[in-house]
Amino acid sequence: MGDDSEWMKLPVDQKCEHKVWKARLNGYEEALKLFQRISDERSPEWGKYLGLIKKFVTESNAVAQLKGLEAALVFIENAHVAGNEFGSKIVTLKPVVKILSKQFESREKAVREEAKLLAVEIYKWIRDALRPPLQGINSVQLKELEEEWVKLPSSPPKQTRFLRSQQDLKAKFEQHQAQGGDQSDGETVATVDPYELLEAVEILSKLPKDFYDKIEAKKWQERKEALEAVEVLTKNLKLESGEYGDLVRALKKVIGKDANVMLVSLAAKCLAGLATGLRKKFGTYAGLVVSTILEKFKEKKPQVVQALQEAIDAIFLTTTLQNLSEDILAVMDNKNPSIKQQASLFLARSFRHCIQATLPKSVLKPFCAALIKQVNDSAPEVRDAAFEALGTAMKVVGEKAVNPFLADLDKLKLDRIKESADKVELPGGKKGAGGGGAEKKPAAKAPPAEAPPKSSGPPKKSQHAAPLLYYRDATCLVEYVLSFQAEACEDLAAGVLPASCLQQLDSANWKERLASMEEFQRAVETMDKTAMPCQALVRMLAKKPGFKETNFQVMQLKLHVVALIAQRGQFSKTSASVVLDGLVDKVGDVKCGGNAKEGMTAIGEACSLPWTAEQVMSMAFAQKNPKNQAETLNWLANAMKEFGFAGINVKAFISNVKTALGATNPGVRTAAITLLGVMYLYMGAPLRMFFEDEKPALLAQIDTEFEKMKGQSPPAPSKSTKKAAAEEEADDGEEQDEDGGGGGQDIMDLLPRTDISDKITDDLVSKISDKNWKIRKEGLDEAAAIISEAKFITANIGELPLALKGRLSDSNKILVQQTLTILQQLATAMGPGLKQHVKSLGMPIITVLGDSKTNVRTAAMTTLQAWVEQTGMKDWLEGDDLSEELKRENPFQRQELLGWLAEKLPTLRTAPGDLMLCIPQLYACLEDRNGDVRKKAQDALPMFMMHLGYDKMNKATGKLKPTSKDPVVAMLEKARAVMPAKPAAPAKAGGGKGSSETSRAPSGCKPEAKKVRGGVAAKKVAAKKPAGKTLKDDEDKSGPIFTLIPNAKEQRIKEEKQLKILKWNFMTPRDEYVEQLKTQMSTCFAKWLQDELFHFDFQRQVKAIGVMIDRLESESEATIGCLDLILKWFTLRFFDTNTTVLMKVLEYLKLLFAMLNRENYHFTEYEANSFVPYLILKVGESKDVVRKDVRAILTMLCKVYPASKVFTFLMEGTKSKNSKQRAECLEELGCLIEGYGMNVCQPTPTKSLKEIAVHIGDRDTSVRNAALNTVVSVYNTCGEQVYKLIGNLSEKDMSMLEERIKRSAKKASAPPPKQVASERTRREQPTNPNATFLRKPAQDDLNKLNQARQNAHHSEPSHPFIPKEFQLDLDMIETDQSGVCELPDLVQHELDELDEPINLPEPKLRAVSPHFDELHNSTASTINFVISQVASGDINTSIQALAQIDEVLRQEDKAEVMSGHIDQFLIATLMQLRLIYSTHMADDRLDKREIIKLYCCIIGNLLSLFAMEVLAREASVGVLKDLLHGLFTLMLDGRMEDIEDGQQVVRSVNMLVIRILEKSDQTNIISALLVLLQDSLITTAGSPLFSGAVIKCLWRLIRFLPENINSLNLDRILLDVHNFMKVFPKEKLKQLNSDMPHRTLKTLLHTLCRLTGVKIMDHLSMIENRNESELEAHLRRTFKHSAHLSGGKNDRGNEKGGLRTDDRLSKAKVSDILTEIFKKIGSKENTKEGLTELYEYKQKYSDADLEPFLKNTSQFFQSYVERGLRIIESEREGKARIQSSAGEHPKMLSVISNSNYEEVKPAVYYERLKILRQRQGLENTPQQRPAISSLLTSKPSVASSTDMLHSKLSQLKESREHYQQEHNTHSHSPTQTHTRSALPATNLDDLKKRLERIKNNRQ
């Protein structure tokens, strides 16, 4: 029992979890007692057991479980937290339903029965929602369930048990029970969505693997199989979300393009299934398919239509009507009645699912507008569907909301809509917001006069306020105004006006009335807009005497106050009706007329011009005062110009204007004609049709006025309707929209049209078709009379089209011509409605083009043009009708039709794909027997190609016969060259409906007639939207602003070269240049953008540039395509004086050039000549900010255009009369020379410098200084040579220059590191100034590394653009000279420590910053970041970064991630090397061991990098050049000797250089060395050791040319040699101190000639003016010399007598013998044997020439051979033997003979270094350091630098005596012309003493 005692002590909750069951039983018992004791249900004690209750129930021990269950029951009954644990719902049915179906499959009958009972119980609560989850059970069981379900009562069940939290419900339930239990509490049971009870099924993975292949199969059976598989999957009621995009697109394609209607139905069912199964998740795909489904409703088969209806209805439930509105509205105007009908029916069904909130006015309005058009459709089924849709909308949102949109419908149609609304039944029994006549009764009970008088703004709903109503009927409006009690008005006015003002308003004294009006005016001016009771105020103004005021001063003020109230307040039409009559009455008054017009204009702004004008006109012509009528007409004419023509009711105006034209007063007639002239601006020629029945004299006056207006465009609107007018009342806020409703229509739609279908009787049709031609003519006359009388007709003309069609083929040509005339008349009368007759009547017109009579063909063409003006070209090109007409082998028809197409096609932006059907006939016409047909076909060919493309047309030739194909293809090629560009997108009028097609615009005055909309609509909506744009404006401007037209720029260049257009060259831009630019821009600029760019208002121009800035990135390709035009427009702005525009222009240009640089775009000469000269004009701008931006742009220009060519433009700029421009140009020239070297100077440095030097004597100080600075830049580049370049200067100028150079030299004379930095500046000039370089502004130093990065030739791979945040700030690094750059003191070293090798730091891969992973989550950005750390000024940071990179480079599988970053990494490394050289080495505070450590890391990384040839070959020329420069500088740095282990670093660098030479791209490394050699020779202060090192590297590369010749890019190498010889001609090379550069160059060229032969002459392609190149001449001499040598070598051999005839060996045998001997000398084992054989060979052939075998070896090897031969000679002659070092050199010699030369470990060098230092006596003088001359061969040989080290170390091992002896021997040897000075022969004892002294000092 000892165990029991342990758990007995535990607390209760721990006992309940104990492993011993007895302990748990005891715990449950105690817990039960505890639960019964706790009285507070919210006690914290309950919380302790919350997580344990589950264990109580699931107890494994049966005895303990019983007690646990008992305790759990008490817990649940009493604890509040128990409800929280089990959730807020009592029972969650979903998991129960999920497993219920499985229970029906149980083997146990009892289980099945219980499952059945449970299913019945669940059905009571959720009803039909249970059916889908149980569809899979046994049919018998399902039938039983159905029977049980039917027996259940229909009333929902009631909850009888309640939780503690439901005590209120419990009490309510008990109360009902007490009252009888059968009363309903009115609550409805929450319906359960069956969808929620279903498990989602994943179907995407179950699609057949070959589904996407089968769905594209040619056989319909395979496509059907694929669709059936999908249909089965989509029958699942709930689908799991996923990426269904591909599947939906595949189904869409079947619906849209499959010809098999059965498959279309199947695909529609699949879409319906997907939409049903995914529900809202399908919403993202809805937009993809809706338009396709709607268009497919053209199919009339019932099964297809039904499937499509089901699909689109299911899709609608996944999205919103607003999302689909655009697609639906697009098909509402479709010509196919079935599509229109089904679209309307779909809307009707969709409206049923909406409520008022989801169907706002903004969504409903466009649908109603479209449906109203369909109400008037000729097809009855379309009309019925439209009525149903409108009726449904009325039912859903109420009659009041819909009525504003139905204002134009007559009473019959309105009644029909209401009737449809009454029939609508909404789902779920919803009543909707009203419908039918239900709204009439409440409306009739509108509150009367108690309504508050405040009419502006939405009325507040309170017990004292009733809504104000607008009345559309004028009588009702007057009655309502009269009902506004005068007392209420006075009360409101008294609240805002002074008492004295109100008292004196009707005073008999005019002065008091005047004073009262002045107070009134002041009160209005200071009144708050929202508190201004406009109607009350105007009622006060109308109070007697009102507008019958006799005093003109008071009247003027009163009229002015009316205008103020209208402008400042929320002025309603009700208020306007009070004052308008008075205003009209005074408009003709001489003194008050101006104020009256001001008031009317203000009311027009408040209440819309269309409404105001209609009221004013009716009032004016109700009077008999001709002056008022004339002035009203004049006001209206001016108002139209100010507001635009939007919304003007043309019909209402015409009758008043006709009345005015018939007036007896000439002033009224004149005003009416003036008004017509203004209307003509907007309506064009159709306006005249209304007045054709006027008297001839009057018509002549009208025509004269119209002639004045021809060619003018409507002015831009300056006024607009205020927003307040649109929101005047809360419930009736659509007045404004109604007024403007017609604004977006075509002018032709505004004209009153007559339906003449009832006049086209059967008798008339039979007359036209009669056999007697006279009767036929009579019928045609009657038809013409009907059309003429009606003037404007609807598209419904009955059977007339069929009758007229028959007459077009009439045998009587007079009747044919008369019919054509009628068709022309019909086109004018019907307008755009003519479209629906194109196929039936239009195509027969084309047939008439084949008539043999010229006059008939001419009439037919005239008719055709008239029709196209109204219909556009699209309908003519659709279908195969046109191709069928071309098939007719009628030469007249073919040539006329092709000529017409050639004229019309270039005007179209797009053409239907059916145009392709004409191509076979077009090709047939190209081979027609008739020459005119062939010519017309050839003319039309480029026009067809413009729309179809060359590839499609070329492909179509495959069907031609072989004999026909070749000539047709040839003609296609010609057509391709002259193919015109597509016209730009047509601009859309301000806010209006855009013109349908370009081809709609007829000749003459028609363009002005196209659109009624001026700008009022735009302004009107601008009042609603602060942005000042209409919705339509935004749509118009949302399209692309530039159109990319292939070859358009090239065509413009060609035209300018051929002088077809003006060359862009002027001092100031003339009008013809501007007009030419407008013409060119019209084809590729959006019309609205072009209008803005050439607008007279500069603010519009600024906004246009802002749009161009926003679209720069998104339309970069099109911007480049239009670049020349954009730049030309900017040049025009350079001549403007507006600084705002200029600054915006410069802002855009900076962004533009940055984009061009990123796109790697290269500026053309054409673009540069059109732009750069004008940009340079602005560099002389007086404002600093402008000059700064222009110089920044010039900097960026050099990235996309060669600096040498920019130099030429700047030189021209120095000739300007503007001194600022001259100075800035000179400064820029200095920057270019600093950045790109002397080669940038064009045409030659001498000529350029002479011109620059002239400015040293300029009168302007800034110009003189700039010229001096530029010449100093030249001096820094080429030194003293500058004096030769500048030519003769006056004494004064020369003295100034010398003084300036002296001063700049003082500035430059800093400690050695700075001196080297200045040398670096000169060394890093690129060789090719015509390449694209990075340039910095004048005030910044040249960014050398970025320049080097871009210094590669065109064939080099480009590297990815590095984001700014990961770029190195190279300028900061280079200029960071924090430490004093002084040489450190000599450091004494502990020589014993030299034996210890230096270990590279162990690389540790760790994050550079704690947020590294967050900031850089991609490999590329991580590499960029780490590389940027390499150049850090902090040594530890740099070492960490290098360690990370080393870790990557060491692993071959990871190293590839560095690909693409090699140049970037090398540049960062080079920057660190420079930083060490210039900063760290000069900083005494830094521990030099840290520097060595950093050097070791850098070298280690580079060795790893260049061990991988793939990565090494990525290094570009410029980077390799700078890298070698940095490494050579390090090797020559004298300070390295003062640092412990410094020499080991130098040796490692030597090994690194060798590896770079081996592994880099051989073309790049040779080019880099040639450039480096050139730069080192130019730098006069450069060390000869430096150039010597470069030469030795070149010799090494020359040696391996035979192996690498095939991989070399000889063109580039020869170009570099050419550039070298250009800078250093042969004569100049010979003047150098050493002839090694000359010899190196000759050897390189000779080797290349020897390896490639004469073919090398083919590799001079990159050299311009190769005939003038010294290189070509040298190569030719080389070949000539070689030929001469081969021809005369035997003779020369005999002359020399080197060998006797009997002993003479063949050349081949001699070569083989000596080669074998030298191999032995170079081998470790056979060195002595080889020397012996060579000695014996020399003895046998005393005059043998060994030079060919020795010349390619190192100096040491030659010395070694000579020394060995002398030793053998001494031995054989018995002389004292000289101790040979032959035993010490075999390893070194093997390195020489082995081209792969294995690397020697640093430890070997380190050991020998100790000997070297001892021999040198530790003299740390620069002259005795082991510089590169001791590490590379002393003579330009091809041996490795390792050979030289072997040589040096071997010599040092010899005894001092032997050394002295050798030294004496060599110093007298005539062959040693290039040996170095001998080492000092320091006494060994002295050396020992010195070493001892050093040790003692260190101790």
Side-chain angles (χ1 to χ4, degrees), residues 811-921:
S811 56
N812 189 320
K813 300 301 179 185
I814 296 174
L815 296 186
V816 173
Q817 285 185 278
Q818 186 180 1
T819 306
L820 290 170
T821 306
I822 292 173
L823 289 175
Q824 292 176 36
Q825 188 183 1
L826 199 64
T828 309
M830 193 178 293
L834 200 63
K835 281 186 179 183
Q836 67 187 66
H837 301 294
V838 166
K839 298 297 181 185
S840 58
L841 258 181
M843 289 301 168
I845 298 173
I846 293 178
T847 308
V848 182
L849 292 174
D851 197 276
S852 58
K853 294 186 177 295
T854 308
N855 57 339
V856 176
R857 292 201 304 273
T858 305
M861 182 56 72
T862 306
T863 307
L864 184 60
Q865 298 285 20
W867 273 57
V868 171
E869 283 181 3
Q870 302 298 334
T871 63
M873 282 293 293
K874 183 181 177 184
D875 295 274
W876 298 83
L877 299 176
E878 283 181 341
D880 59 353
D881 302 87
L882 204 61
S883 62
E884 291 298 322
E885 293 294 336
L886 274 174
K887 277 183 184 177
R888 302 174 193 271
E889 295 187 1
N890 183 319
F892 294 117
Q893 183 181 6
R894 280 185 165 182
Q895 59 183 290
E896 293 288 348
L897 182 53
L898 288 171
W900 175 70
L901 286 172
E903 175 194 341
K904 291 297 181 185
L905 287 176
T907 64
L908 302 181
R909 289 189 65 248
T910 58
D914 293 338
L915 187 63
M916 193 70 195
L917 299 173
C918 300
I919 295 302
Q921 284 70 46

Side-chain angles (χ1 to χ4, degrees), residues 72 198 726 1289 1565:
L198 297 173
L1289 289 180
I1565 193 67

